[in-house]
Amino acid sequence: MFSKILIANRGEIACRIIDSCHRMGVATVAVFSDADRAARHVAMADEAVHIGGPAPADSYLQAERIIAAAKSTGAEAIHPGYGFLSENPDFVDAVEAAGLVFIGPSARAIRAMGLKDAAKALMEEAGVPVVPGYHGSNQDPDYLAGQAESIGYPVLIKAVAGGGGKGMRRVDDPGDFGEALISAQSEARNAFGNPDVLIEKYVLQPRHIEVQVFGDGHRAVHLFERDCSLQRRHQKVIEEAPAPGMTAEMRKTMGAAAVRAAEAIGYKGAGTIEFIVDGANGLRPDGFWFMEMNTRLQVEHPVTEAITGVDLVEWQLRVASGEALPARQEDLQIRGHAFEARLYAEDVPAGFLPATGRLAHLSFPQGARIETGVREGDTISPWYDPMIAKVVTYGPTRAVALRALETALVDTEVAGSVTNLDFLIALARHPGFRAGEVDTGLIGRDLDALVAAAEPDPRTRVLAVIGLAGLADPSVKGGMTLWQPLRRTVAWEGGEAVVEVLGPGAARVTLDGHAHEVRWQGDRWWVDDALRRNRIVSHEAGVSVFGGRTVHLKPLDPLARDSAGAGGDALTLSPMPGLVKSVHVAAGQEVKAGDRLAVLEAMKMEHSLTAARDGVVAEVLAQAGDQVEAGAALIRLEEEEE
Ligand code: ADP
Ligand code: ADP
Ligand code: MG
């Protein structure tokens, strides 16, 4: 076994790898950018080396600096985590040329699976079913349109170099093919420097079921499947293992296909074979097709660990250090069921816009496995994936594990940034999901209801007002202090309410023209006679209410109000660093509140930036193709007439 390894990553995955190293007595070296000096992964590691500026290109993608850091600290091996350099075969070559061990597959195996078209051809040869379609090299638009015709609509155009759901277009109507092809190619060229596409049959009612494999370079085993069908825009939101409705026969067939795939490329280490499954008529052993292989540890690997009892990072280290495969296929078994929810700093009602902020309050429940790279007081910066944590639960049955997920999410507390917590809770309560009727379209079909369920409701806001009024303070609770005026106005950014203390443990809150009666006893709250098990928490950024529906109120800062009054809504600022994809207005043009002004691409997604109010465009300060920083002014509206 290695005595010291370097982790070429950050955030939750760096911390998770360090956890296993600690348990195994392997010393750890972290690397960090300027933005991560005080990050959790740096604090957890035995040593840490600074590798550059906050942009990934200046630090976590700086292969040479990372290898130099490993050499100078005496690390024998490098664990790449996921993302960043993890699937970069040139990095593997460089690590090995430096006399170090890459904890992962060979450069050759990564190259074999790097492009979806070549991977599909290889898998076909190995006897693994692939999605019907065209994955040849002819990129002539008329030829591709002809292929789409013969595959039969609907079809999916995919970037061969794709990842993270990019460069993909579903086409239902032959008349739309030409335009969809052009936009998929241009997205692929921008994102991956490779415009080539393949065409696939679009599987109706698709389910994403993937198989965890593990190889020693010759032989491989599988650790069963994960269902990742709960997706938003082709990105995973909640994952589970095993897959609901899976039969023993299909599991065996899929597992064998995945092992064939891994062995065909002499795979070493942890990998994932992603299959698309036709969920229209239940799961059938002839109804799954290879989509792609991810040649690394997968974000959702903990659900597999939960049901198999295997520590996949420990296995990675053992096999990389020369040990044989730690288990035979017949030693591996599924016990129980597990879920993982990805908790992100993002603004759900604003279209899942990535958010940032200092985590003024952060508390996770017992009873769930929490994988996180942040602590209370840490900042979610605009530079990296805005993931706050993965919440993983386990139970003897799917129903128990899902209840545990719902409870764990309800008991999670994050303040200082908006999050997708309430959206995840709404999903965990979704009747179709509960029934195991998952497919990749579930979230999209019910998006409006799921988002609405994640919006703050009036009664939770009333409790936040009680918090702001100081009535939830333990020293005040159940009674009132003499200095509390009986009736007063409480104001916060975005609103105000009148609070009247009626007596011990009772108040009336008038909010948005409605009077609500609030009573409390210990940590129980009644709003309009409905019992609420909410938690009211005060912190440096204001007051938050947690427990199913989250509300944050920030006390009014008189200075902030003044500056907003001075034309704050005239400027549309870039909410994060990104690439301006398109600008939709010109100087002199009239716009209405909510109109799309520009589209920004950041964090794997496109974000529409909309007008804050009606007005006339005074100035367009950015153009398509510009790389902009967070806070950069993009569009200015003319000042409003007084
Ligand atoms: P998974 O199937 O495990 O969700 P993804 O391919 O969606 O894997 O991405 C895994 C991680 O890799 C993401 O969480 C992100 O950090 C990083 N990543 C993948 N693709 C991109 C991309 N195009 N741009 C930025 N980060 C990416
Ligand atoms: P990426 O590299 O971006 O992860 P994938 O090929 O893994 O791309 O596909 C991402 C997602 O797109 C899948 O999880 C699935 O939801 C959807 N998808 C991919 N191929 C098909 C298909 N042929 N039919 C229907 N949906 C598909
Ligand atoms: Mg994929």
Side-chain angles (χ1 to χ4, degrees), residues 457-467 502 505-511 514-521 523-536 545-546 549 551:
D457 64 310
R459 286 174 179 171
T460 313
R461 293 177 70 224
V462 164
L463 288 178
V465 172
I466 289 285
L502 303 176
R508 181 181 302 124
V509 175
T510 306
L511 174 65
H514 295 277
H516 301 269
E517 306 286 325
V518 186
R519 288 180 297 116
W520 60 93
Q521 202 170 60
D523 56 2
R524 292 163 156 235
W525 302 88
W526 287 264
V527 182
D528 302 331
D529 285 328
L531 173 65
R532 312 276 312 213
R533 289 217 178 260
N534 293 91
R535 303 174 303 282
I536 304 176
V545 180
F546 301 108
R549 297 264 196 149
V551 169

Side-chain angles (χ1 to χ4, degrees), residues 133-451:
Y134 175 74
H135 50 260
S137 58
N138 193 337
Q139 295 290 312
D140 175 62
D142 292 332
Y143 181 79
L144 290 175
Q147 288 296 324
E149 252 344 299
S150 55
I151 294 163
Y153 283 86
V155 298
L156 190 64
I157 305 174
K158 264 190 200 179
V160 300
K166 273 199 180 171
M168 263 195 290
R169 294 288 183 284
R170 171 180 169 166
V171 191
D172 293 279
D173 180 339
D176 300 334
F177 184 84
E179 204 175 308
L181 179 65
I182 291 171
S183 83
Q185 286 170 326
S186 100
E187 193 169 305
R189 188 184 290 111
N190 287 332
F192 314 111
N194 179 349
D196 288 0
V197 296
L198 56 82
I199 316 287
E200 274 180 4
K201 175 95 196 149
Y202 188 86
V203 178
L204 293 166
Q205 217 175 309
R207 285 178 64 176
H208 173 122
I209 301 183
E210 56 185 36
V211 178
Q212 175 72 54
V213 292
F214 208 100
D216 65 2
H218 308 283
R219 287 184 322 108
V221 293
H222 71 85
L223 292 95
F224 314 104
E225 78 282 359
R226 294 182 286 258
D227 194 311
C228 310
S229 300
L230 243 48
Q231 303 184 347
R232 199 189 136 261
R233 297 214 204 154
H234 306 303
Q235 301 208 38
K236 300 162 187 169
V237 180
I238 294 183
E239 302 100 341
E240 63 179 302
M246 179 60 75
T247 63
E249 188 193 9
M250 182 161 181
R251 173 173 295 135
K252 204 167 161 202
T253 314
M254 287 185 85
V259 166
R260 262 199 319 281
E263 290 182 346
I265 54 166
Y267 196 76
K268 188 163 136 196
T272 295
I273 316 283
E274 294 189 335
F275 294 104
I276 191 96
V277 172
D278 184 355
N281 298 303
L283 299 180
R284 285 172 294 106
D286 62 349
F288 72 91
W289 302 277
F290 172 87
M291 273 194 301
E292 65 164 345
M293 177 170 191
N294 292 327
T295 52
R296 53 169 158 87
L297 192 67
Q298 193 97 329
V299 174
E300 57 274 20
H301 75 277
V303 292
T304 298
E305 298 185 321
I307 61 158
T308 58
V310 167
D311 178 337
L312 284 167
V313 172
E314 179 196 316
W315 276 30
Q316 287 187 301
L317 263 64
R318 287 171 61 183
V319 167
S321 72
E323 279 185 41
L325 270 184
R328 295 167 305 176
Q329 191 65 56
E330 54 270 33
D331 301 332
L332 294 163
Q333 269 184 39
I334 298 181
R335 275 214 190 79
H337 205 102
F339 286 91
E340 172 185 284
R342 301 187 184 195
L343 176 61
Y344 280 105
E346 61 184 13
D347 190 341
V348 171
F352 295 83
L353 203 68
T356 55
R358 193 177 122 87
L359 300 174
H361 174 79
L362 183 66
S363 167
F364 293 112
Q366 305 289 316
R369 170 173 166 186
I370 304 296
E371 295 296 340
T372 184
V374 290
R375 301 150 299 185
E376 187 167 293
D378 286 352
T379 297
I380 302 290
S381 81
W383 296 104
Y384 313 110
D385 191 304
M387 187 192 275
I388 296 170
K390 303 189 302 204
V391 176
V392 184
T393 60
Y394 174 78
T397 64
R398 185 175 190 271
V400 173
L402 187 51
R403 284 287 300 185
L405 181 70
E406 183 192 342
T407 307
L409 292 169
V410 167
D411 290 345
T412 294
E413 303 180 349
V414 188
S417 167
V418 289
T419 72
N420 65 344
L421 185 59
D422 295 356
F423 177 74
L424 293 174
I425 293 169
L427 258 181
R429 292 174 174 166
H430 185 281
F433 179 41
R434 285 210 153 164
E437 291 155 5
V438 292
D439 70 83
T440 64
L442 183 146
I443 290 182
R445 281 192 302 274
D446 289 339
L447 192 64
D448 291 347
L450 289 165
V451 170

Side-chain angles (χ1 to χ4, degrees), residues 190 574 577-584 597-602 607 609 620-629 632-635:
N190 287 332
S574 175
L579 177 79
V580 179
K581 287 286 291 190
S582 50
V583 175
H584 299 270
L597 303 179
V599 174
L600 185 76
E601 184 189 86
H607 308 281
L609 305 177
V620 175
L621 300 155
Q623 53 184 9
D626 285 357
Q627 192 73 41
V628 294
E629 297 295 330
L634 305 181
I635 311 278

Side-chain angles (χ1 to χ4, degrees), residues 86-126:
S86 62
E87 293 180 275
N88 182 330
D90 298 334
F91 180 62
V92 180
D93 284 336
V95 169
E96 288 172 354
L100 302 167
V101 176
F102 179 77
I103 302 175
S106 66
R108 197 177 51 83
I110 296 177
R111 284 196 183 100
M113 290 295 183
L115 294 178
K116 290 184 205 283
D117 53 346
K120 282 182 79 175
L122 194 73
M123 290 299 102
E124 238 171 359
E125 253 173 66

